[in-house]
Amino acid sequence: MAADLSNIVKAYDVRGVVPDEWDERLAELFGAAFVEVTDASAIVVGHDMRPSSPGLSGAFARGAAARGVDVTLIGLCSTDQLYYASGLLDLPGAMFTASHNPAQYNGIKLCRAGAAPVGQDTGLAQIRELVEKWSDEGAPESAPVAAGTITERDTLAGYAAHLKGLVDLTSIRPLKVVVDAGNGMGGHTVPTVFDGLPLELVPMYFELDGTFPNHEANPLDPKNIVDLQARVLAEGADLGLAFDGDADRCFVVDERGEGVSPSAITALVAARELARNGGTGTVIHNLITSWSVPEVVRENGGTPVRTRVGHSFIKQEMAKSGAIFGGEHSAHYYFKDFWNADTGMLAALHVLAALGGQQGTLSELVASYDRYRGSGEINSTVADQAGRMAAVKAAYAARDGVETDELDGLTVSAADWWFNLRPSNTEPLLRLNVEARDTETLNAVRDEVLALVRA
């Protein structure tokens, strides 16, 4: 009986519990299906520090090579390092990681040559169909062809050099920075990227350990940056950086130990990238980022473009519009000069360059980019997502001075506030984000919407 992979093939990647939901046998089939769908003659494969990652990535490589495809293994790497390799070598790529999920999970992030995204509408659904079809009897024999080669290549030094070539850090003042790698891939990449820079690095949890013995490698959850916040204060550091498990996202803490909104980082980096491009250019932002982002983009001569949440939408719009930069509320940052792919490390280098290029503190620097009060994402478990969404839409549709749109879920906007309500694709949840000009208004709008959602 063919496998049902609906639980592990998500909108943008493959992710599930190993070996309960998938294993090396299925990984080998994914490798064969990936080259079938992409029609690749060669691919590049990397993996994170999870105990199951070497075996899964090796099986994927064997499945690809068996169909005549040459495979370059880059070994331990961050997800954005895999994107670098895909861009540098102009090859489709596969990254074995489950990002911030617990240790028993693993997954695959796939891209076409040049780090172009592979999601449900761009090949992932076809890959799933093939793996399901082949799960009983294995992949069919391809036309007589010699097996591809499997070789190894180290891309870490090249990755670091590429990033440092995009941000001028040569003349910054010395900075003391605490970095919490969460036992994830930041512990592998940060020492090489930061080498030679005028930084005093205070490392936390740099030991690669896919069991995550200290805390989850998800810096967007406040409980996971408590240690970093305390260490920044104890060290008298200029700032702190926290990376997620596969080190493609970066969260920033200021000198007071306070978290800096990813929207403020998006606005800061957007201003710098616009300046680097002569004061013109398009900047992509998803609809949950702060009002500050399009305001700062316009003030710096750029054109903001609003899009749905999710890296495949951002990357598609980046390519379509020729955008120079894009940012999301989830601390994903996308750069034209990085093949439109997301790299938290490059965003971190921009923050270091901006801070080190002047004498003020980070909190002072980002104040002009953080203009409104935000709720953060609030999840509500509901039995009837569509019914609750309809109830909220009906409650606001007829109000004066209120606009609604359904680009992604439901967004309701007024002069002094906005909110977005989106259903989860994988869980019985509605996700609410609210922003307002002041805390009192924020609380009032938040409470009113939650009362409707949870009725």
Side-chain angles (χ1 to χ4, degrees), residues 381-386 388 428:
T381 301
V382 296
D384 180 10
Q385 289 175 318
R388 291 296 89 209

Side-chain angles (χ1 to χ4, degrees), residues 338-357:
F338 199 77
W339 300 279
N340 292 332
D342 43 325
T343 165
M345 187 69 76
L346 184 51
L349 293 181
H350 271 286
V351 173
L352 291 167
L355 179 59

Side-chain angles (χ1 to χ4, degrees), residues 149-396:
T149 61
I150 299 179
T151 58
E152 297 181 0
R153 177 168 178 160
D154 186 351
T155 59
L156 180 58
Y159 159 80
H162 180 75
L163 292 181
K164 288 191 280 191
L166 297 175
V167 183
D168 184 7
L169 292 148
T170 56
S171 59
I172 66 169
R173 62 185 170 93
L175 297 172
K176 187 174 188 178
V177 54
V178 182
V179 177
D180 182 346
N183 298 109
M185 292 312 303
H188 177 70
T189 57
V190 167
T192 300
V193 175
F194 283 15
D195 184 49
L197 300 178
L199 304 171
E200 181 183 346
L201 173 62
V202 181
M204 294 181 65
Y205 313 140
F206 272 38
E207 304 77 21
L208 299 183
D209 189 339
T211 67
F212 306 112
N214 294 290
H215 60 71
E216 293 178 356
N218 179 15
L220 286 190
D221 187 332
K223 71 175 182 290
N224 295 322
I225 64 166
V226 170
D227 291 356
L228 174 63
Q229 291 170 307
R231 191 69 176 272
V232 166
L233 292 174
E235 295 281 348
D238 294 291
L239 76 163
L241 303 173
F243 290 91
D244 67 345
D246 59 336
D248 63 346
R249 288 187 297 154
C250 182
F251 192 84
V252 182
V253 169
D254 69 22
E255 80 288 348
R256 305 168 303 171
E258 299 291 328
V260 180
S261 159
S263 286
I265 299 299
T266 296
L268 182 153
V269 177
R272 289 178 52 83
E273 283 290 277
L274 285 165
R276 201 166 72 89
N277 284 272
T280 61
T282 298
V283 173
I284 310 297
H285 65 98
N286 76 26
L287 48 70
I288 298 178
T289 53
S290 170
W291 271 339
S292 299
V293 174
E295 288 176 1
V296 169
V297 169
R298 292 189 187 97
E299 289 164 9
N300 286 271
T303 303
V305 173
R306 178 174 175 263
T307 188
R308 295 177 63 183
V309 173
H311 77 93
S312 64
F313 301 116
I314 296 275
K315 289 174 181 176
Q316 287 167 11
E317 190 60 46
M318 294 266 301
K320 175 183 173 184
S321 65
I324 59 174
F325 174 64
E328 294 198 87
H329 70 295
S330 53
H332 281 285
Y333 306 104
Y334 307 79
F335 295 82
K336 181 178 182 179
D337 291 332
F338 199 77
W339 300 279
N340 292 332
D342 43 325
T343 165
M345 187 69 76
L346 184 51
L349 293 181
H350 271 286
V351 173
L352 291 167
L355 179 59
Q358 47 90 67
Q359 294 302 312
T361 63
L362 182 57
S363 61
E364 293 167 341
L365 175 66
V366 300
S368 63
Y369 302 111
D370 195 9
R371 303 171 179 180
Y372 304 99
R373 306 281 70 81
S375 67
E377 194 154 86
I378 303 168
N379 292 323
S380 301
T381 301
V382 296
D384 180 10
Q385 289 175 318
R388 291 296 89 209
M389 291 280 292
V392 174
K393 180 179 178 181
Y396 287 92

